[in-house]
């Protein structure tokens, strides 16, 4: 391949799109599979197989996926990281951009990457009913023409966590009164597998099967440079990735080409992608292990049966031995904020700021939920994009979309400031955009500028990506331009946290969207088939009437309240009478029927004086 001078990239990006229509027909079905070799179970596959087929195209192509839902419940496909300019309704987020594909029906997704000038490493997954946890996920590679960096060949490496139980069963256990601490389901295993030229590489033990984890091999030839595109398709787990005996240079992050950045280990949180260059060794006397190690700090418990560190093998010579595995001195997070995009975009001053505080807590219904700004997200009755397109001039009123919504004006430079008050790490993903990471803090409560640096304005070229990890008590300042009218999610990409409500919707330029966003008729027909309304506010009504819209549960209002104080007073009074009775009998006394009747009357009379006792208790607790 030929290295392209950076100054020619802008001209290349502006060249007319002369690509192909790449069509895929996907029958989304239940199939039996045993990805980790430990447990066979029902999974969500495509065309009767698992894993679903990888997708490859060039930046001048249009991808069209005909998705036929042969499951027993609605599903969707979300092409993660795609912009969907003017076609927000193809974004695939159920409850936001579509109603879902009814069982037995087909939804055709047009992914016009040529029009959006996108290339790089992406993936496709369900955005409904936890189907991607059950297996509906696959890598998507969009080749630049020509590529910016030079290499001899490339492979895609798919990482993922895997559960033996169905998502629906795990979700019931996760969001329940029996799990007030909110411990997430821990995966049963880790997976790693490879693609080359749009096909999965075969197993080392069965050429007819996909090579998974220990049965997966990556063929290397001496003296060559390979591009490895690495995708974390997990539901929960972050991975640390490295290759024994080989160095890596980062060249892409979430579809953004960057200047080479040497690194010994990659951390990939859920939904993130990196490309690295690896130059091979000049001898074939040994093969080497590829390591994909789960970040077990994210797990409340580590089951005895879990092997969090899976490996595959770089093979120079099938007859050569494999070198012993190597441990790393310490794990660390990839410093993505230090990466420098090849195509430069200067930071712009923010014109619209949204602050989002991340919190988990046990709420009024006894379940542990996730919240932005003390509000847990609930899907609306009317999918958000249909509200945006049907509310007329009222579409600019954020409250009509539900309590977890924000309206953006066209052209706003939006700053999202996200503060993570939770004890765990979180990967946050923005639909319809890449954002610039203009600042990160590892402890936003600190006065130490190393831990909590100030935002620097006027940055020449901040890194751009679509998924960012924020550690506990850390923060990130993200900026993007509101240039894509539609309805977009911003959410934690840990599936359990999204299900628990860690999401908001951004309504971008609603009045402009009404002019340019035109969903096809079949979408309205499919909504009707599911009994889902497609007009009105979030509750399906006109005006400000949101009756029937699910909200909450809410934060518990802790402290002393009149009912609690009354109950305490009653308990104290009963205890005093009880102790008096015990003392009476202990002293040898006896009580007659008349005395029993008198005691009952006294208790009834005491109710009339209870408000004074409640008042005294209230003053005491406030003072204390």
């Amino acid at each position: 391949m030929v290295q392209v001078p950076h100054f020619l990239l802008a001209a290349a990006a502006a060249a007319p799109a002369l690509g192909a229509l790449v069509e895929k027909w996907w029958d989304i079905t239940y199939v039996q599979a045993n990805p980790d070799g430990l447990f066979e179970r029902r999974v969500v596959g495509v065309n009767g197989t698992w894993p679903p087929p990888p997708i490859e195209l060039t930046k001048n192509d249009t991808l069209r996926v005909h998705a036929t839902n042969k499951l027993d419940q609605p599903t969707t496909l979300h092409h993660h990281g795609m912009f969907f300019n003017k076609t927000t309704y193809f974004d695939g987020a159920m409850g936001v951009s579509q109603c879902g594909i009814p069982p037995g029906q087909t939804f055709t997704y047009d992914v016009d990457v040529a029009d959006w000038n996108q290339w790089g490493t992406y993936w496709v997954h369900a955005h409904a009913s936890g189907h991607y946890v059950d297996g509906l996920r696959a890598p998507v590679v969009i080749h630049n023409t020509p590529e910016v960096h030079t290499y001899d060949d490339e492979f895609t490496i798919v990482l993922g966590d895997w559960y033996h139980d169905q998502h629906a069963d795990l979700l019931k256990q996760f969001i329940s009164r029996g799990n007030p601490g909110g411990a997430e389901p821990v995966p049963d295993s880790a997976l790693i597998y490879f693609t080359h030229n749009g096909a999965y590489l075969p197993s080392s033990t069965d050429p007819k099967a996909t090579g998974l984890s220990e049965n997966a091999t990556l063929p290397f030839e001496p003296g060559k440079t390979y591009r490895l595109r690495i995708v974390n398709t997990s539901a929960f787990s972050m991975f640390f990735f490295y290759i024994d005996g080989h160095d890596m240079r980062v060249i892409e992050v979430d579809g953004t080409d960057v200047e080479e950045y040497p690194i010994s280990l990659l951390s990939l949180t859920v939904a993130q992608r990196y490309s690295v260059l690896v130059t091979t060794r000049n001898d074939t006397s040994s093969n080497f292990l590829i390591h994909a190690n789960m970040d077990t700090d994210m797990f409340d418990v580590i089951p005895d049966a879990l092997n969090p560190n899976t490996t595959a093998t770089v093979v120079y010579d099938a007859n050569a031995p494999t070198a012993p595995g190597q441990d790393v001195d310490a794990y660390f997070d990839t410093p993505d904020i230090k990466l420098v995009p090849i195509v430069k975009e200067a930071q712009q001053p923010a014109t619209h700021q949204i602050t989002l505080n991340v919190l988990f807590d046990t709420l009024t219904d006894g379940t542990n939920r996730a919240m932005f700004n003390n509000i847990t997200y609930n899907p609306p009755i009317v999918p958000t994009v249909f509200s945006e397109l049907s509310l007329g001039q009222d579409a600019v009123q954020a409250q009509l979309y539900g309590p977890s919504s924000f309206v953006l004006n066209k052209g706003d430079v939006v700053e999202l400031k996200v503060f993570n008050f939770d004890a765990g790490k979180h990967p946050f993903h923005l639909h319809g955009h890449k954002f610039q990471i203009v600042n990160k803090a590892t402890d936003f409560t600190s006065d130490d500028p190393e831990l909590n640096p100030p935002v620097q304005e006027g940055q020449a070229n901040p890194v751009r990506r679509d998924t960012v990890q924020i550690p506990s008590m850390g923060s990130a300042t993200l900026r993007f331009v509101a240039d894509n009218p539609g309805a977009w999610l911003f959410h934690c990409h840990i599936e359990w946290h999204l299900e628990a409500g860690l999401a908001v919707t951004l309504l971008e330029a609603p009045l402009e969207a009404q002019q340019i966003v035109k969903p096809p008729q079949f979408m309205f027909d499919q909504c009707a088939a599911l009994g889902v309304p497609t007009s009105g506010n979030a509750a399906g009504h006109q005006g400000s009437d949101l009756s029937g819209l699910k909200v909450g549960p809410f934060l518990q209002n802790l402290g002393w309240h009149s009912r609690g104080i009354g109950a305490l007073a009653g308990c104290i009074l009963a205890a005093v009478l009880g102790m008096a009775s015990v003392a009476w009998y202990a002293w040898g006394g006896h009580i007659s029927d008349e005395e029993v009747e008198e005691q009952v009357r006294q208790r009834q009379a005491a109710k009339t004086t209870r408000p004074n006792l409640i008042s005294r208790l209230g003053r005491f607790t406030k003072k204390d």
Side-chain angles (χ1 to χ4, degrees), residues 91-212:
D91 185 52
M94 192 161 78
V96 177
S97 58
Q98 72 177 99
C99 300
I101 311 170
Q105 296 197 27
T106 299
F107 190 108
T108 297
Y109 293 92
D110 281 338
V111 188
D112 192 0
V113 298
D115 187 53
W116 311 326
N117 200 32
Q118 288 192 262
W119 61 87
T121 308
Y122 300 90
W123 60 307
V124 58
H125 61 85
H127 218 299
S129 307
H131 291 151
Y132 108 71
V133 181
D134 288 336
L136 187 49
R137 58 201 193 196
V140 177
V141 172
I142 305 171
H143 297 280
N144 199 358
T145 52
E147 292 285 1
V148 174
H149 294 278
T150 300
Y151 46 88
D152 297 298
D153 202 352
E154 67 176 68
F155 297 93
T156 300
I157 300 176
V158 184
L159 309 179
D161 53 21
W162 191 249
Y163 293 86
H164 292 167
D165 293 321
Q166 299 284 324
H167 163 270
D169 297 330
L170 293 170
L171 184 62
K172 289 178 183 177
Q173 298 169 21
F174 173 54
I175 302 181
S176 72
R177 290 174 176 265
N179 185 30
E184 301 89 348
V186 176
D188 292 289
S189 58
L191 299 178
I192 179 172
Y193 46 106
F194 310 126
T195 81
H196 184 242
N197 293 332
Y200 291 111
L201 294 185
S203 168
S204 59
T205 58
D206 181 2
K208 296 181 180 180
T210 297
L212 298 166

Side-chain angles (χ1 to χ4, degrees), residues 77 145 179-180 206 231 244 252 317 329 357 390 427 441 526 624:
L77 291 179
T145 52
N179 185 30
D206 181 2
V231 186
D244 290 345
E252 180 218 351
D317 183 343
D329 294 334
N357 297 318
S390 66
Q526 291 189 351
D624 186 58

Side-chain angles (χ1 to χ4, degrees), residues 148-452:
V148 174
H149 294 278
T150 300
Y151 46 88
D152 297 298
D153 202 352
E154 67 176 68
F155 297 93
T156 300
I157 300 176
V158 184
L159 309 179
D161 53 21
W162 191 249
Y163 293 86
H164 292 167
D165 293 321
Q166 299 284 324
H167 163 270
D169 297 330
L170 293 170
L171 184 62
K172 289 178 183 177
Q173 298 169 21
F174 173 54
I175 302 181
S176 72
R177 290 174 176 265
N179 185 30
E184 301 89 348
V186 176
D188 292 289
S189 58
L191 299 178
I192 179 172
Y193 46 106
F194 310 126
T195 81
H196 184 242
N197 293 332
Y200 291 111
L201 294 185
S203 168
S204 59
T205 58
D206 181 2
K208 296 181 180 180
T210 297
L212 298 166
S213 299
E214 282 72 16
N215 291 326
T217 56
L218 197 61
F220 272 11
E221 295 182 23
K224 288 193 173 184
T225 296
Y226 292 94
R227 176 179 187 158
L228 305 181
R229 301 174 182 265
I230 310 158
V231 186
N232 185 354
T233 67
S234 292
F236 184 19
S237 181
M238 187 174 89
F239 278 91
F240 298 104
F241 176 90
Y242 63 99
I243 306 174
D244 290 345
H246 295 75
D247 297 321
M248 300 183 291
R249 293 110 66 195
V250 177
I251 60 167
E252 180 218 351
V253 51
D254 290 1
T256 300
D257 292 323
V258 296
E259 296 178 4
E260 288 192 20
Y261 186 90
I263 201 161
S264 60
L265 172 146
L266 276 177
S267 67
L268 296 96
T269 191
V270 175
Q272 286 185 335
R273 295 90 63 209
Y274 285 96
S275 282
V276 297
L277 294 181
V278 175
T279 299
T280 61
R281 302 164 72 95
N282 283 320
D283 69 84
T284 61
S285 61
S286 181
N287 302 318
F288 297 89
L289 291 180
I290 303 171
H291 297 264
N293 297 350
M294 287 176 163
D295 179 9
T296 55
D297 288 345
M298 300 177 69
F299 304 159
D300 282 48
V301 296
I302 304 175
D304 292 339
L306 172 65
N307 174 16
N309 303 332
T310 192
T311 59
T313 308
V314 165
V315 175
Y316 283 90
D317 183 343
N319 297 315
T322 300
Q326 300 174 7
D327 294 328
V328 295
D329 294 334
Y331 292 137
F332 57 87
D333 290 340
T334 302
D336 56 359
I337 201 166
K338 294 182 179 180
L339 300 176
V340 180
I342 298 292
V343 177
K344 292 179 169 56
E345 290 185 13
Q347 171 193 0
Q348 298 184 45
T351 62
H352 185 104
Q353 187 180 84
I354 298 172
T355 298
L356 297 174
N357 297 318
V358 178
L359 184 68
F360 283 69
D361 207 343
T362 303
L363 303 188
T364 49
D365 68 345
T367 66
N368 191 278
R369 300 281 180 144
M371 292 164 284
F372 278 128
N373 298 345
N374 294 338
I375 299 172
T376 189
Y377 174 82
N378 288 286
I381 294 172
V382 176
T384 309
V385 69
F386 293 114
S387 289
E388 183 180 42
L389 298 179
S390 66
L391 284 173
Q393 295 298 311
D394 288 342
V396 297
Q397 300 183 41
Q399 69 272 18
L400 300 185
Y401 302 97
S404 299
S405 303
F406 299 87
V407 170
L408 310 176
N409 296 320
K410 184 178 181 180
D412 276 343
V413 180
V414 183
E415 180 173 273
L416 290 174
K417 296 181 71 72
V418 186
F419 296 88
N420 181 12
F421 287 86
D422 183 49
K425 308 169 185 177
H426 296 280
F428 291 104
H429 170 52
L430 175 62
H431 288 223
H433 297 272
K434 288 180 189 174
F435 45 71
Q436 295 178 328
I437 305 177
V438 300
N439 190 57
K440 275 187 171 182
T442 54
D443 181 359
F444 59 76
T445 66
S446 175
D447 294 328
D448 185 346
E450 292 293 321
L451 302 177
N452 187 21

Side-chain angles (χ1 to χ4, degrees), residues 435-511:
F435 45 71
Q436 295 178 328
I437 305 177
V438 300
N439 190 57
K440 275 187 171 182
T442 54
D443 181 359
F444 59 76
T445 66
S446 175
D447 294 328
D448 185 346
E450 292 293 321
L451 302 177
N452 187 21
V455 174
Q456 297 295 323
E457 295 294 343
Q459 296 175 46
N461 190 24
V463 68
R464 302 185 299 276
R465 67 182 317 170
D466 59 53
T467 306
V468 63
Q469 176 171 275
I470 305 179
S472 174
M473 300 310 294
S475 68
T477 303
L478 316 172
R479 285 189 192 172
F480 66 96
V481 178
D483 56 4
N484 194 1
W488 308 107
L489 268 180
F490 180 77
H491 65 96
C492 178
H493 215 290
I494 292 174
E495 179 68 11
W496 310 114
H497 297 169
L498 174 58
E499 301 265 17
L502 196 50
V504 295
T505 50
L506 305 177
L507 285 303
E508 194 165 332
L511 300 184

